Amino acid sequence: MAPSRGALMAVTAVAAATVTVAACDSSGTEHRNGSETSPSSSSPSASPEPSPTRSYPLSKTPRAIPAVREHRPARGPGWRPGKSSGVVIEKGDKGLADEGRLLAGELRIRYRGEVPARAGDVELALNPKDGGGPESYTLRTHDGRVTISGPAQAGVFYGTRTLKQSVRADGAMPEGEVRDRPDRPQRGLNLDIARKHYSAGWIEDRLREMADLKLNQLGLHFSDDQAFRIESDTHPEVVSPEHLTKAEVRRIVALAGRLHIEVVPEIDSPGHLGAVLAAHPDLQLLNVSGVPSKGSLDISKPGAAKLVDELLGEYTELFGGAYWHLGADEYQALTVSSPAASYPQLQRAAVKKYGAQAGIEDLATGWLNDRAAVVRPHGMKPKAWNDGLFRDSTVRADKDIEIEYWTGKEYGARPPEQYLREGYKMLNLNDEFLYYVLGQPNAFVYPTGKRIYEQWTPLVLRGTSPVPAKYSDQILGGRFAVWGDFPNAQTAAQVAEGIRMPLRATSQKLWDPGKPQLSWDGFKALAKEIDQG
């Protein structure tokens, strides 16, 4: 998680979708995964025949971020938005209305709803016969129309993002067929709103930016030692003066849902609870000499679980969604040389609950499992930071807890292969590449995106070396993370600009981890064209 610690959509699978559009000038050759290919390299049953005329050269691959993974070129004029163009959805596919209205507004053409498509239109239609996963899509430009299909609404939406970006970069969508899909199911941005307050509008702007990059997960770390940033009904005493109201959170979650982005909330415990403990000093962890342990909850006290579980119950209802992040990192009782001697009350509680051989690591692991049991009935899958799971504990963390690997530098942190060998699924938040830490403490530097683009892949979980490819299926994706260690080091606007290219690089490598076709300079130039288009 955050480096200040010590040493430092969901998408609903429905039937697929189809988009049809009108024609434009374009030329060139196709590239698939960075290599030039011929039309015969795609499946004949899935690919369009070239347009009847031979007066056009083969089309070029549409330009987008992330880059499309497959494109079959064809001869034809392609499509560009015109005065008579419109966006329509197939009859019965009312669920695509949001996607249709959004695209129409972005392309400055009309949205006409559930009516038959005509020349020049963009048609969205769910198609249950499409395969490839809920976020895959096919975008076909042929005879003055483009058809985008996928096995769920998310796939259609991502097809519209490719169409939008191609038009912004080049004014047109080339003739031919795109077949596209993400390499990893979880792709996103992690935002520390506890140490630095961001307005709801600023967060909504990031959601829109993420959506165009086909990122589908926003982590919100809203509780830490410095502040607690969301309105509470159960415990209003813990809330900081600058915070998001529940109405603002509902607005953020609703927008995220329309953009096929899953919001992953986090209340870190039993450490990083300083703002909560300021209002509940009786639950502060004290060592044998009576010295407070910064941000640490005394989990031997019955009131500790009651307080945290009341907050979890309140906010799981507020956010809904598929995931809850439980934190679990940097519990200060486990960072001293002799935990049992320093915190005898925790040692006694561990023995009482788990037996004579148990230690404080077992008590902390049991705490994590107990909190996971609180969020599961709300339909949420639990997540935790990697240094919250211990090598030698007798009590083992539940196997359905997704491990978010951020560092190998913390006490208790193990090499990622150890978690993978035990069968855990992991998410990549490698602090060597993916950490944007305000103020650049502890030897951190603001990432430019170049290292991510040229050197990082989802397999590079720790440091700069990848784990063996045999574990690839257990690595679910990654998130680029912004931490507010020195919150005044940058304004919110400076943060937005600073993460712009790193976020685009992260998007590219999570969508397709192979060597990109474009150089870094070419990638930056394309990003500028799309953003200014």
Side-chain angles (χ1 to χ4, degrees), residues 258-275:
R258 293 194 298 273
L259 298 175
H260 301 277
I261 295 171
E262 182 73 33
V263 179
V264 183
E266 179 191 0
I267 295 178
D268 203 342
S269 78
H272 290 279
L273 280 173

Side-chain angles (χ1 to χ4, degrees), residues 282-447:
D282 56 309
L283 298 177
Q284 175 86 48
L285 178 65
L286 307 177
N287 71 8
V288 69
S289 301
V291 177
S293 177
K294 181 182 177 182
S296 296
L297 191 66
D298 188 339
I299 58 177
S300 70
K301 294 184 174 181
K306 181 176 184 295
L307 172 62
V308 171
D309 290 350
E310 286 172 351
L311 291 170
L312 290 176
E314 177 178 5
Y315 291 109
T316 50
E317 290 296 326
L318 175 64
F319 281 94
Y323 301 97
W324 186 275
H325 204 308
L326 296 165
D329 64 306
E330 294 187 322
Y331 190 41
Q332 295 299 301
L334 292 170
T335 64
V336 298
S337 59
S338 180
S342 297
Y343 300 96
Q345 75 274 36
L346 297 181
Q347 180 62 31
R348 289 193 297 270
V351 170
K352 181 178 180 181
K353 188 169 185 178
Y354 297 111
Q357 302 305 312
I360 296 175
E361 287 183 349
D362 296 294
L363 191 67
T365 304
W367 172 273
L368 172 61
N369 289 340
D370 289 346
R371 307 292 76 74
V374 172
V375 302
R376 284 193 197 97
H378 296 270
M380 291 176 142
K381 184 172 291 188
K383 291 174 172 285
W385 298 112
N386 65 286
D387 52 321
L389 286 80
F390 305 98
R391 177 188 293 108
D392 300 321
S393 61
T394 301
V395 178
R396 309 304 290 174
D398 294 339
K399 284 297 178 65
D400 70 330
I401 297 174
E402 293 181 0
I403 300 174
E404 304 217 331
Y405 200 100
W406 72 280
T407 190
K409 303 180 182 73
E410 292 291 287
Y411 174 83
R414 294 178 281 159
E417 291 92 330
Q418 292 189 15
Y419 303 96
L420 293 166
R421 281 197 298 269
E422 293 174 15
Y424 288 101
K425 293 183 177 179
M426 304 183 76
L427 208 69
N428 192 324
L429 285 90
N430 186 337
D431 63 352
E432 293 281 334
F433 289 92
L434 304 178
Y435 263 36
Y436 192 95
V437 187
L438 298 189
Q440 303 184 104
N442 303 312
F444 280 99
V445 295
Y446 295 129

Side-chain angles (χ1 to χ4, degrees), residues 72 80 108 117 148 161 165 193 286 349 362 367 501 518:
R72 177 182 173 88
R80 69 176 71 244
R108 298 179 183 178
I148 303 173
R161 301 305 85 197
Q165 290 196 23
I193 65 171
L286 307 177
D362 296 294
W367 172 273
M501 287 309 300
L518 291 176

Side-chain angles (χ1 to χ4, degrees), residues 66-79:
V68 301
R69 301 186 70 177
E70 299 180 36
H71 176 246
R72 177 182 173 88
R75 301 181 187 277
W79 180 85

Side-chain angles (χ1 to χ4, degrees), residues 231-252:
E231 176 187 1
S232 173
D233 297 321
T234 62
H235 288 283
E237 74 280 1
V238 308
V239 180
S240 301
E242 280 191 308
H243 63 269
L244 298 174
T245 67
K246 286 192 170 182
E248 288 174 322
V249 171
R250 292 187 185 99
R251 196 177 80 200
I252 288 167

